[in-house]
Amino acid sequence: MPKKDNRKARPAERAALREVLRVGGDRPVDLRRFDPRAIPAGPADKAAGVAATAALADRLASLQERLYAASTAGDRRRILLVLQGTDTSGKGGTVKHVIGLFNPAGCRIKAFKAPTPEERDHPFLWRIEKALPQPGEIGIFDRSHYEDVLIARVRELVPRSRLGRRYAQINRFEQSLAEDGVTLVKVFLHISYERQRARLLERLDNPDKHWKFNAGDIEERSMWPAYQEAYELALERCSTDAAPWFIVPSDRKWYRDWAVSRLLLEHLEDIDPRYPKGDFDVEECRRQLLAT
Amino acid sequence: MPKKDNRKARPAERAALREVLRVGGDRPVDLRRFDPRAIPAGPADKAAGVAATAALADRLASLQERLYAASTAGDRRRILLVLQGTDTSGKGGTVKHVIGLFNPAGCRIKAFKAPTPEERDHPFLWRIEKALPQPGEIGIFDRSHYEDVLIARVRELVPRSRLGRRYAQINRFEQSLAEDGVTLVKVFLHISYERQRARLLERLDNPDKHWKFNAGDIEERSMWPAYQEAYELALERCSTDAAPWFIVPSDRKWYRDWAVSRLLLEHLEDIDPRYPKGDFDVEECRRQLLAT
């Protein structure tokens, strides 16, 4: 008697990474148990990783085109990549190197900064909803509504009771998005305390990178333990079936880029978008065209 | 006695293309005098053209980063690439292949469709203003406010007197943009009537491209002469010093991609954005960091 239903079995390579990196729904998340230098699956070194990422480009672009094409015939499906992580964890680098593999016309990128006065006057999800990808698009959030349970918690920007309700609000919001055709890919870029110091020092040592540095970064860093705890709570409470969290070890940039690319590929392959059929008479149109 | 002031002289290769492709301000524009298969400057064949475009990628990305970095210190300068051209002229292909050379995080792409009821209730520039690039960004318009003197003229969507005023309104609008730090790069992708037929037939012949085809495309094509005239008027009346038009021969896709890339490079080099100086004490920050 077979123990597994293998009718839907796929090659082992496929769909593997998201199972490996996914955060368990029920169990507490202890970030100290996740090594930011780990290579839990995939290419073993930098040369292989860079090559493997480049090798994904054609498939990603092709799936993106099909996703967009399908939307022109009413398919509402789309991707929303949510990138979170401390300063220097590589959110911007991921956009540059991973999203750079796609056709920019189909990407909707939003970097969330500190809320404006107008945004602060609205519920915290208001500005998020305005930045959502449209059907067929790949949306990318560099920071997101999770800031409202991260910096908001660490800096005590809202009363604890209001903060406490936000986790469930986020889960309901994401559930609704999923029901409307949004595939959420929520990625926590996990770096070590040491690696952050090294990257901040790199910025200081290179005048061309001074614009990326704020004196406030050092103060934020001093609150590292509180931020790690806030991330743990968010990962733990908001990793749902509709919208799971993935922890990507990000001390190695090449691994981070490969892993995020691979996660996007697996989700796009799962969506499996198809070119829509035309609603016109091909032969008649060809005849008319040839007459012009 | 020297005839020219050569202090600012640059290598002949630089800044050449925009002089070659620029539409003269005063003279009437007769599109029949511009060969859509011409190679007025630059690489002579496809292999050389594709290589030349790829060779520009690093300089473009580097200038873009500097442009963005400068904006963090208050520099308001930015680029706005306006792409116009008939169906199949390659607006989408240009975004994919040329804008794909940039960091997508710094690009703000807007494809303008037929105006919504809300947009029609506003002045025609209203939706344009909402889509403008912010300081440091590269904005890309796939179609633009020029549709309001193109399809609006050909299809007689507004009274002739109102249409007639729009050219001056556009010029004033663009003058204001230029004064606010926007470098406009307005590109007309010029293809031949024969090339359009061939590209439409390609779409019909490939089911994976049917989603790009509309039966209405054939009707639009039947108005080719009226559109060419509308383009001529727009190019003639709205090629100003503040915002000149460039005609890019676009029957050859590789030439189109090279020419638009090169135009962007020349304008970015002219802007010559610089990394801003940091406003913090580097040594003090380094000391603090090393203590963490």
Side-chain angles (χ1 to χ4, degrees):
Chain A
M1 195 166 65
K3 285 195 180 139
K4 289 196 290 183
D5 180 348
N6 279 318
R7 281 172 302 179
K8 287 189 177 175
R10 292 181 295 192
E13 187 225 9
R14 259 187 85 182
L17 192 64
R18 60 176 169 177
E19 300 310 324
V20 174
L21 301 183
R22 182 177 170 160
V23 177
D26 299 331
R27 285 159 298 170
V29 174
D30 180 352
L31 283 174
R32 289 166 302 183
R33 288 186 47 244
F34 294 85
D35 179 2
R37 285 187 65 78
I39 302 177
D45 59 32
K46 181 171 177 177
V50 169
T53 304
L56 296 176
D58 283 350
R59 280 156 79 193
L60 289 171
S62 160
L63 284 158
Q64 180 198 17
E65 182 172 278
R66 281 200 265 148
L67 186 71
Y68 186 83
S71 78
T72 65
D75 191 332
R76 292 187 59 77
R77 291 178 301 170
R78 55 210 123 139
I79 295 260
L80 175 56
L81 174 67
V82 172
L83 296 172
Q84 288 286 167
T86 60
D87 286 337
T88 78
S89 62
K91 301 180 292 293
T94 303
V95 173
K96 182 175 175 178
H97 297 290
V98 177
I99 303 310
L101 302 173
F102 292 92
N103 182 341
C107 298
R108 187 175 295 260
I109 304 170
K110 175 71 180 178
F112 289 96
K113 314 283 185 191
T116 63
E118 188 189 20
E119 288 169 349
R120 265 187 272 116
D121 277 348
H122 285 87
F124 74 102
L125 293 171
W126 179 74
R127 64 176 187 160
I128 305 299
E129 281 170 346
K130 292 203 298 177
L132 289 171
Q134 296 180 3
E137 291 183 339
I138 296 179
I140 301 95
F141 284 177
D142 173 347
R143 303 186 188 271
S144 68
H145 43 299
Y146 283 95
E147 292 298 318
D148 297 288
V149 292
L150 293 168
I151 189 169
R153 169 176 284 271
V154 174
R155 297 284 186 173
E156 298 180 348
L157 303 179
V158 294
R160 201 41 85 100
S161 61
R162 206 163 126 207
L163 185 81
R165 284 194 296 272
R166 285 185 173 173
Y167 298 93
Q169 287 166 351
I170 287 175
N171 287 343
R172 290 198 298 273
F173 170 66
E174 294 181 350
Q175 171 82 36
S176 296
L177 291 182
E179 287 168 5
D180 193 31
V182 178
T183 297
L184 283 120
V185 184
K186 302 188 297 189
V187 171
F188 174 63
L189 301 176
H190 184 36
I191 60 166
S192 62
Y193 188 64
E194 294 67 35
R195 193 74 217 133
Q196 185 186 61
R197 181 173 44 221
R199 289 185 184 169
L200 287 172
L201 284 170
E202 269 172 41
R203 291 182 181 177
L204 282 178
D205 290 342
N206 182 350
D208 286 357
K209 292 190 173 179
H210 282 180
W211 66 279
K212 293 187 176 185
F213 188 89
N214 288 299
D217 294 347
I218 299 176
E219 202 205 331
E220 283 285 290
R221 175 171 165 79
S222 72
M223 309 184 89
W224 181 275
Y227 271 107
Q228 296 293 299
E229 192 194 343
Y231 284 117
E232 286 170 346
L233 285 173
L235 293 169
E236 190 176 307
R237 296 182 181 174
C238 298
S239 195
T240 61
D241 285 341
W245 269 106
F246 304 97
I247 296 181
V248 169
S250 298
D251 269 10
R252 305 174 200 259
K253 294 177 182 176
W254 65 263
Y255 187 77
R256 170 201 78 199
D257 290 344
W258 174 80
V260 178
S261 306
R262 178 80 207 171
L263 283 172
L264 288 171
L265 180 72
E266 290 177 2
H267 285 86
L268 279 164
E269 287 188 335
D270 221 49
I271 293 173
D272 191 21
R274 303 296 175 99
Y275 287 114
K277 283 198 197 305
D279 57 352
F280 47 84
D281 181 334
V282 174
E283 279 316 311
E284 173 60 19
C285 286
R286 185 182 284 118
R287 195 191 58 71
Q288 286 179 19
L289 257 177
L290 288 170
T292 64
Chain B
M1 196 164 64
K3 284 193 180 141
K4 288 196 290 183
D5 180 347
N6 278 319
R7 282 173 300 180
K8 285 187 180 179
R10 291 181 296 192
E13 185 227 8
R14 263 187 81 182
L17 191 65
R18 60 175 170 176
E19 299 310 323
V20 174
L21 301 183
R22 183 177 169 159
V23 177
D26 299 332
R27 286 160 297 172
V29 174
D30 180 352
L31 281 175
R32 289 165 303 183
R33 288 185 47 244
F34 294 84
D35 179 2
R37 285 186 65 76
I39 302 178
D45 60 32
K46 181 172 177 177
V50 169
T53 304
L56 295 177
D58 283 350
R59 281 155 79 190
L60 288 171
S62 161
L63 283 158
Q64 179 198 17
E65 181 172 279
R66 282 200 264 148
L67 186 71
Y68 186 82
S71 78
T72 64
D75 191 334
R76 291 185 62 75
R77 290 179 301 171
R78 54 212 125 140
I79 294 261
L80 175 57
L81 174 68
V82 172
L83 295 171
Q84 287 285 166
T86 60
D87 285 338
T88 77
S89 62
K91 301 181 290 296
T94 303
V95 173
K96 182 175 176 178
H97 296 290
V98 177
I99 302 308
L101 303 174
F102 292 91
N103 181 341
C107 298
R108 188 176 295 260
I109 304 169
K110 175 71 181 178
F112 289 96
K113 314 283 182 190
T116 64
E118 188 190 20
E119 288 169 349
R120 267 189 270 115
D121 277 348
H122 285 88
F124 74 103
L125 292 171
W126 179 74
R127 65 176 187 160
I128 306 299
E129 282 171 344
K130 292 202 299 176
L132 289 171
Q134 296 180 1
E137 291 184 338
I138 295 179
I140 300 96
F141 284 177
D142 173 348
R143 305 186 187 270
S144 66
H145 43 299
Y146 283 95
E147 292 297 317
D148 296 288
V149 292
L150 294 168
I151 190 168
R153 168 176 286 270
V154 173
R155 298 284 186 172
E156 298 180 349
L157 303 179
V158 294
R160 202 39 86 98
S161 61
R162 205 164 127 206
L163 186 81
R165 285 194 294 273
R166 285 186 173 173
Y167 299 93
Q169 287 166 351
I170 287 175
N171 287 343
R172 290 198 299 273
F173 170 65
E174 293 181 350
Q175 171 83 36
S176 296
L177 290 183
E179 288 169 4
D180 194 30
V182 179
T183 296
L184 282 121
V185 184
K186 301 189 298 189
V187 172
F188 174 63
L189 301 176
H190 184 36
I191 60 166
S192 63
Y193 188 64
E194 294 68 33
R195 193 73 219 133
Q196 186 186 61
R197 180 172 45 222
R199 289 185 184 170
L200 287 171
L201 284 170
E202 269 172 41
R203 291 182 181 176
L204 282 177
D205 290 341
N206 182 350
D208 286 356
K209 291 190 172 180
H210 282 182
W211 66 279
K212 293 187 176 186
F213 188 89
N214 288 299
D217 294 346
I218 299 175
E219 202 205 332
E220 283 285 290
R221 176 172 165 79
S222 72
M223 310 184 90
W224 181 275
Y227 271 108
Q228 296 293 300
E229 193 194 341
Y231 283 118
E232 286 170 345
L233 285 173
L235 293 170
E236 190 177 306
R237 296 181 181 175
C238 299
S239 195
T240 60
D241 285 340
W245 269 105
F246 304 97
I247 297 181
V248 168
S250 298
D251 269 11
R252 305 174 200 260
K253 294 177 182 176
W254 64 263
Y255 188 75
R256 171 201 78 199
D257 290 343
W258 175 80
V260 178
S261 305
R262 176 82 207 168
L263 283 173
L264 288 172
L265 181 71
E266 290 177 2
H267 285 87
L268 279 164
E269 288 187 335
D270 221 48
I271 293 173
D272 192 20
R274 303 297 175 98
Y275 287 113
K277 282 198 197 307
D279 58 352
F280 46 85
D281 181 335
V282 174
E283 278 316 311
E284 172 60 18
C285 285
R286 186 181 284 119
R287 195 190 56 71
Q288 286 179 19
L289 258 177
L290 288 171
T292 65

